Amino acid sequence: MTRLHHLALTAADLAASVAFYDPFLAELGYQRSGGLESPLIYLGDGPEILVYRTEGDGAGRSRHQHGAPGLQHLAFEVDDPSAVDAAFRAAVAACGTVVYAPRTYPEYADGYCATFIEDLDGSRFEVVNIPKS
């Protein structure tokens, strides 16, 4: 069996990233394990999430741009639409950038409810609820 073990992201300002990731990922069932050194480690029911400090030439680069080569977005599936709203509110309160507020996407599937937000470095996240038939 093969499964995803962890996701690794890079952040320009680790302290600012803690202020975003702690409340946002808590809404998704993750808790930070360990201190504030690189990498930040978040554990939950899904793959581990690691947030590294930029280093070398990466420290001077601009934030990620959606549509550029690389990871487009990470999607977290939650059990009900209220969890989509809760994650959205946590991300906004932690200075995340709203890409799309929570709404339904009937073009994806019946009842598909999602929000899209970005962290401080432009990494994009989707939080989605898809009703089970």
Side-chain angles (χ1 to χ4, degrees):
M1 174 196 303
T2 301
R3 69 177 147 255
L4 188 61
H5 180 267
H6 67 270
L7 306 169
L9 302 165
T10 304
D13 184 336
L14 221 49
S17 293
V18 165
F20 173 81
Y21 282 112
D22 278 7
F24 174 62
L25 291 177
E27 286 295 334
L28 301 170
Y30 283 84
Q31 295 297 316
R32 184 165 35 90
S33 172
L36 299 175
E37 62 280 346
S38 182
L40 302 172
I41 301 170
Y42 292 89
L43 304 175
D45 289 335
E48 292 177 11
I49 299 174
L50 309 173
V51 183
Y52 289 88
R53 179 185 334 274
T54 56
E55 55 187 58
D57 291 342
R61 289 162 101 178
S62 63
R63 48 185 266 132
H64 177 74
Q65 182 180 1
H66 187 76
L71 184 65
Q72 187 190 59
H73 73 274
L74 304 175
F76 294 95
E77 186 175 2
V78 294
D79 292 333
D80 58 70
S82 67
V84 173
D85 291 333
F88 172 77
R89 286 191 307 275
V92 169
C95 297
T97 301
V98 176
V99 179
Y100 300 109
R103 69 176 181 91
T104 58
Y105 291 85
E107 65 272 28
Y108 296 160
D110 287 339
Y112 194 109
C113 176
T115 186
F116 293 83
I117 56 93
E118 291 180 348
D119 73 2
L120 307 178
D121 295 293
S123 295
R124 188 170 292 190
F125 300 93
E126 175 183 5
V127 181
V128 59
N129 171 254
I130 307 167
K132 307 297 183 227
S133 0

